[in-house]
């Protein structure tokens, strides 16, 4: 029997919105229709998406960061096909996986201060594992996290989420989770000084809002964690695997966390995976006796396809000098987008590292724009950014996102393989769309329509 998935896709492609309205998330379909993103993508290649009319879009979202190597990279596909063709034993469970051993060895070669790896199926699952390992290793309950943090949406991870919108309706969450402001070492010391905290978890660059650490913050946090015997966990699920121009973002600031969390791009964009890299002494506190050999785990973790995707991703990263490209193109984008700042009163900041970039907007000074800005802000904080992202998509075929609920920052998280032509495309498009937003014309009319729909910025 041959199941032709491509043919299935083709015959049902035109029903996708009605299928989702009927059987899945109807609200998502409403959002797509309201903002005009219902173009029905048909295929993806590298940094580009193509709709049913073969129009090409530049993807600055990269599936929330999974497509670091672009969509459908030939080396990843070949590696996955070779797994399927090899009749491997896969998930025997009462055995240990060869491919997991290889991937663990190769990951740790890139993060040499750590010794062990625990594999999971997603970012959130890696976070859940980190919480359990931290508590077991220290005998303490507390987990400190930052405001604006995003570590995933399962219960443990959600308990470390710094945004009320995600938490509302799901309480009560995990006890003993303590929120402190990001970039605040005094607050961190205060939280740790009672010596009840198992771990401090932090994104080296916060994904929500693209918030960079102050110079000395991460190193200072590491010192405080050591002083109070608290584990220091770097959530590099979004920032890792070359995104910021280094394998790990933490390398920019010389930190050596006790645990490093990876997921997203490690998948090659094909097979979900998560990984917790950690010190042996932490690992051994959980897996400390034979009768506890399976005390934590997940059925599909370490499956051959995920491990092969991870191995292939690391190979491509090195062979194609992907972090170097992220550093170079990211620097160019920040430089050229920052240069627009002088021309536009609504543009407040452009910041980032490698290809994790935030373009921030803020209240205008001129009376002419103030009234419209206030109208949008009153209707829904952060709505202004939709006046940037929607025309970027409709008129310039660039897919972007707003960097969080109520955020005034548009986020660029493209595949790490973008080239100079793409950079030119991005800068020209931003220039054009920002210029329009200062003209109190069509864009502001769109704003009124959005206010009518009471539409809120996305994830
Ligand atoms: C920093 C960070 N941690 C954890 C997660 C959760 O990963 P997943 O969606 O694979 O559960 C995300 C996802 O966006 C993330 O950005």
């Amino acid at each position: 029997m041959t199941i032709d998935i491509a043919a299935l896709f083709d015959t049902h492609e035109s029903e996708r919105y009605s299928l989702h309205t009927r059987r899945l998330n109807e609200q998502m379909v409403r959002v797509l229709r309201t903002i005009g993103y219902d173009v029905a993508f048909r295929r993806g290649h590298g940094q580009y998406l193509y709709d049913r009319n073969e129009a090409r879009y530049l993807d600055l979202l990269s599936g929330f960061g999974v497509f670091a190597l672009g969509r459908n990279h030939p080396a990843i596909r070949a590696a996955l096909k070779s797994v399927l063709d090899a009749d491997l034993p896969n998930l025997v469970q009462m055995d240990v996986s060869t491919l997991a051993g290889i991937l663990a060895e190769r990951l740790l070669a890139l993060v040499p201060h750590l010794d062990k790896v625990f594999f999971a199926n997603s970012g959130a699952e890696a976070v859940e594992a980190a919480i359990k390992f931290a508590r077991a290793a220290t005998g303490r309950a507390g987990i400190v996290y930052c405001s604006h943090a995003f570590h995933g949406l399962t219960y443990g991870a959600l308990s470390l989420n710094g945004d009320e919108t995600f938490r509302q309706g799901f309480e009560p969450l995990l006890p003993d989770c303590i929120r402190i402001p990001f970039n605040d070492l005094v607050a961190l010391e205060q939280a740790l000084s009672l010596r009840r905290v198992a771990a401090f978890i932090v994104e080296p660059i916060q994904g929500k809002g693209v918030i960079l650490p102050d110079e000395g913050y991460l190193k200072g946090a590491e010192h405080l964690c050591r002083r109070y015997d608290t584990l220091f966990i770097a959530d590099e699920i979004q920032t890792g695997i070359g995104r910021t121009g280094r394998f790990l973002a933490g390398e920019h600031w010389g930190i050596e966390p006790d645990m490093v969390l990876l997921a997203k791009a490690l998948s090659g964009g094909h097979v979900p995976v998560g990984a917790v890299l950690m010190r042996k002494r932490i690992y051994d506190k959980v897996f400390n006796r034979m009768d506890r050999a399976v005390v934590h785990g997940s059925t599909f973790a370490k499956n051959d396809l995920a491990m092969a995707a991870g191995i292939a991703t690391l190979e491509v990263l090195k062979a194609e000098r992907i972090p170097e490209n992220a550093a170079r193109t990211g620097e160019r984008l920040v430089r050229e987008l920052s240069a627009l700042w002088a021309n536009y009163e609504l543009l407040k900041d452009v910041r980032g590292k490698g290809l994790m970039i935030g373009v921030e907007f803020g209240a205008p000074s001129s009376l002419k724009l103030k009234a419209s800005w206030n109208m949008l802000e009153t209707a829904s904080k952060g709505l202004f950014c939709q006046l940037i992202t929607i025309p970027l998509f409709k008129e310039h075929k660039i897919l972007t996102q707003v960097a969080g609920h109520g955020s005034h920052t548009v986020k660029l998280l493209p595949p790490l393989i973008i080239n100079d032509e793409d950079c030119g495309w991005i800068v020209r498009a931003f220039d054009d769309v920002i210029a329009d937003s200062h003209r109190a014309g069509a864009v502001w009319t769109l704003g009124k329509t959005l206010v009518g729909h009471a539409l809120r910025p996305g994830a």
Side-chain angles (χ1 to χ4, degrees):
M1 184 168 74
T2 309
I3 301 160
D4 189 341
I5 299 292
L8 206 60
F9 181 97
D10 277 342
T11 48
H12 293 276
E13 186 266 306
S14 60
E15 299 163 37
R16 63 167 61 166
Y17 299 113
S18 62
L19 281 171
H20 278 253
T21 298
R22 208 161 58 243
R23 300 295 188 195
L24 294 124
N25 185 348
E26 182 180 355
Q27 299 308 329
M28 192 61 203
V29 175
R30 289 186 61 214
V31 168
L32 293 175
R33 290 209 160 117
T34 305
I35 63 180
Y37 278 40
D38 53 337
V39 299
F41 289 113
R42 242 211 124 281
R43 66 188 183 93
H45 182 75
Q47 60 272 50
Y48 308 117
L49 286 162
Y50 298 83
D51 67 16
R52 51 164 77 113
N53 303 317
E54 274 300 293
R56 187 176 70 145
Y57 292 70
L58 180 57
D59 177 16
L60 304 190
L61 193 53
S62 61
F64 293 148
V66 303
F67 294 110
L69 309 177
R71 277 186 174 76
N72 298 310
H73 192 289
I76 310 291
R77 283 161 61 141
L80 295 177
K81 283 182 180 164
S82 82
V83 170
L84 295 176
D85 290 341
D87 283 335
L88 297 179
N90 198 20
L91 295 175
V92 176
Q93 309 296 8
M94 287 311 291
D95 189 13
V96 290
S97 152
T98 303
L99 295 185
I102 296 167
L103 180 56
E105 195 97 291
R106 293 186 181 183
L107 282 170
L108 291 168
L110 294 165
V111 189
H113 75 280
L114 297 177
D115 323 284
K116 291 274 193 175
V117 180
F118 177 85
F119 283 112
N121 294 300
S122 67
E125 245 193 43
V127 172
E128 299 295 330
I131 296 169
K132 286 181 75 176
F133 274 93
R135 286 184 162 181
T138 59
R140 298 176 177 181
I143 309 285
V144 173
Y145 68 99
C146 292
S147 39
H148 301 293
F150 189 92
H151 299 290
L153 296 176
T154 50
Y155 258 104
L158 187 61
S159 308
L160 310 176
N161 192 301
D163 178 345
E164 289 313 315
T165 320
F166 284 110
R167 303 162 69 103
Q168 271 163 17
F170 300 112
E171 287 104 334
L173 302 179
L174 206 62
D176 299 303
C177 295
I178 304 154
R179 190 188 307 181
I180 58 167
F182 185 67
N183 271 332
D184 187 340
L185 290 175
V186 175
L188 179 61
E189 178 150 28
Q190 229 167 28
L192 301 191
S193 58
L194 293 176
R195 295 184 179 271
R196 288 188 197 138
V197 174
F200 171 51
I201 183 166
V202 67
E203 301 152 84
I205 299 172
Q206 290 195 306
K208 297 289 173 199
V210 191
I211 303 174
L212 289 152
D214 292 342
E215 220 35 64
Y217 172 65
L218 293 171
K219 200 71 194 161
E222 180 179 280
H223 283 310
L224 288 174
C225 287
R226 302 271 178 279
R227 182 181 304 160
Y228 295 105
D229 299 317
T230 294
L231 298 174
F232 182 39
I233 305 176
D235 179 345
E236 295 251 14
I237 287 166
Q238 189 164 140
T239 52
I241 324 277
R243 165 68 50 196
T244 69
R246 307 287 278 267
F247 182 68
L248 297 180
E251 292 170 32
H252 293 289
W253 296 282
I255 53 169
E256 293 198 341
D258 301 302
M259 292 193 225
V260 170
L261 314 185
L262 299 172
K264 290 195 190 271
L266 189 61
S267 67
H270 279 284
V271 192
V273 68
V276 184
L277 281 55
M278 70 186 99
R279 297 186 193 280
K280 181 175 178 340
R281 67 180 159 82
I282 303 169
Y283 198 91
D284 289 351
K285 278 279 172 58
V286 169
F287 297 110
N288 58 345
R289 297 193 312 261
M290 273 205 285
D291 63 310
R292 284 170 58 86
V294 291
V295 73
H296 187 58
S298 183
T299 304
F300 277 100
K302 303 192 289 282
N303 75 80
D304 281 340
L305 284 172
M307 297 300 101
I311 292 166
T313 297
L314 296 186
E315 295 258 347
V316 172
L317 212 68
K318 187 165 170 216
E320 297 184 9
R321 300 175 60 80
I322 299 287
E324 288 82 349
N325 190 60
R328 187 184 66 78
T329 48
E331 223 173 85
R332 173 176 168 184
L333 282 173
V334 169
R335 184 171 13 93
E336 295 187 10
L337 290 169
S338 299
L340 302 178
W341 183 79
N343 306 335
Y344 301 119
E345 57 177 306
L346 288 158
L347 180 59
K348 298 297 172 192
D349 191 25
V350 179
R351 56 179 177 271
K353 267 237 181 283
L355 286 173
M356 187 167 175
I357 297 170
V359 180
E360 185 173 350
F361 297 88
S365 43
S366 69
L367 277 179
K368 160 176 92 110
L369 293 174
K370 249 185 191 156
S372 309
W373 172 270
N374 290 342
M375 184 258 302
L376 288 183
E377 277 297 284
T378 314
S380 178
K381 183 169 180 289
L383 193 58
F384 174 82
C385 280
Q386 302 287 350
L387 306 196
I388 302 295
T389 55
I390 292 174
L392 273 177
F393 186 75
K394 281 191 168 169
E395 285 153 37
H396 296 275
K397 305 224 169 345
I398 288 182
L399 179 61
T400 51
Q401 62 181 319
V402 182
H405 296 113
S407 171
H408 292 131
T409 300
V410 174
K411 181 168 164 186
L412 281 59
L413 199 70
L416 308 184
I417 55 170
I418 60 165
N419 56 35
D420 285 317
E421 186 207 327
D422 300 323
C423 290
W425 182 352
I426 293 166
V427 175
R428 277 193 307 278
F430 266 90
D431 193 4
D432 188 62
V433 165
I434 300 172
D436 262 359
S437 75
H438 286 66
R439 274 200 280 272
V443 174
W444 292 99
T445 312
L446 170 64
K448 279 188 199 144
T449 311
L450 292 180
V451 168
H453 281 92
L455 181 76
R456 295 182 180 279

